[in-house]
Amino acid sequence: MRIRQFLAAVLLLLLPFFYLQEVQAAKVLNVLITNPESSFDPALASDIGTMSINENLFEPMLRYDYLARPVRLQPNTLSAMPEVSADGLTYTFRLQKGIRFTMDAAFAGKERELTAEDYAYSLRRLYDPVLKSPWLFLLEGKLQGDERLLAAVRQQPDAAYQIAIPGIEVVDRYTLKLRLKQPDPGFLLTLATPATAAVAREVVEMYGSQAGNHPVGTGPFKLGSWKRSFRIELVASPSYRRPVFVTETAKDEDARHVQLSLKGKTYPLVDVVNVLVLEEQQARVLAFLNRELDILEQVPPPLSEMVLQNGQLKPQLAQQGIRLFWFTPLQTYYVWMNMDDPVIGGYTREKIALRRAIALSYDADSDIRLIEKGLAIPAQTPLPPNVLGYDPQWKSPVRHHLAMANALLDRYGYRRGQDGYRSLPDGSPLELVMHSLANATGKLREEVWRRHMETIGVRIRFISDKHGEILKAARLGKVQMTEANWVGDFPDGENFYQLLYGPNAGKANYSRFNLPEFNQLFEQSRRLADGPERKKLYSRMAYLMHAYNPWVLRTHPLSADLVQPRVQNYLRHPVEFTNWRYLDIQNPAGSR
């Protein structure tokens, strides 16, 4: 009896040790996003950080092969790639059976299977005027009958879910048909974006306007603990089907190594993804160097000398096993100006002259040399390298030229006062207002633009705010101008030029540029596959953008990505924001 009591006592003492060992053995991946999250609702989120989270919680019907270069789509929740009719108008999608949403109170304790109706509902949500989804451009004008849907929702928002149209047809529990008005060679690319992922109607109806705070999807992770704007924990979902990794034959050495490592494995491979919100650039670099982060993508250029030396990883970091990967994102940095603003907007010659002078004052070469530390190239058009439609020979007609900028302002009546600052042609004061990020990066960029405006005698005032708040104000037309960047949702020129398409004003088109000729060219271009004819249209669209200057094009970044030695299977994808489901951790119980 005493022996049994002694053994029981010893076991009780050892239980915390066993538990600690189990906790230590959990595979935790530590990553970051650079701006506070917005809404975990696929129909609403448009910032990179939140979409990075959403693509791990929710699932579109298609996704990209992790290793294929050039990029290639593969089935995600589908049993096979969709069937396309001979005329290119009808797409038939057949879902896998047995895919389940994560458990939630909205399902009243029952398992909830993913169905074709969920995708039909999720696509219809993009038309809901109450949501004001920035992703409506993915479908608007493309689906058969959606003009009736658009007309009906102007009278009754619920019509988005009630009006039957041939463009969206649920054939049976696992089959969905989408019908287009005309062939669209890039249509399937839009169905691999987080915005077209499936949400459950019960969840949206239960949580209403707070649905974005209660994400329930079918993805590899579910939301764990969450401290807003500070830390987001994603936990491997027990409901996830854990598919076996599938890819085509990898072409380069890094990809072949990853392919061999992932062969025959199911994912996700980590138990937890710990996402830190780190807005300050220095905090990101220090967190990585202190091993609080496993990955640092896009090393902040102003701090690149902390980790790079002559374009290489510093020797002391290489000796620790840290790896450097170079990557060219599908990303464009620019400044947009509100074409509806009474000071800077409009299509008259004096308004065009003001915007043109601002564009001519911008010195991309010095910006890249002094601020970006060489980790960027000047943008000539909205299209970055590696996007379908990109033309490396096309050069912008608007380049840094202070004499021309000042001459333009003089000619169109923007006269200098005794203090050296200009007035509007009617004699009233001229002051620009630029929104900027409320962090160290934002302050740095403010100084850049203050110097540019000083060279042409224009006063400028800055309003600092959080990224999400600037986006909200921009959608309402309350931002005069701000710096922005766009990362391609899919690798096609359409995704960038739609940012200037008039009907997208107040959605993805924050500048509210609305030029009939540009709109017509855009509509023609999206009916064409990539090739000389479409590139010719893109060339004309680029000229029109530079002629009216709703944007000041800045740069395309060159990304230096750092990875800790314990991370396995890392490869940056050109389109998808994250690769967290494919990553593995060596020695998870070891010290950090």
Side-chain angles (χ1 to χ4, degrees), residues 3 101 234 323 541:
I3 293 175
F101 285 91
L234 303 181
R323 290 160 289 161
M541 290 158 67

Side-chain angles (χ1 to χ4, degrees), residues 104-118:
D104 188 82
F107 304 138
K110 299 177 182 179
E111 289 190 346
R112 172 66 156 77
E113 188 181 25
L114 175 70
T115 68
E117 183 59 48
D118 294 315

Side-chain angles (χ1 to χ4, degrees), residues 92-105:
T92 303
F93 304 87
R94 304 185 191 280
L95 296 184
Q96 298 176 41
K97 298 179 180 179
I99 295 176
R100 294 172 295 161
F101 285 91
T102 57
M103 292 299 291
D104 188 82

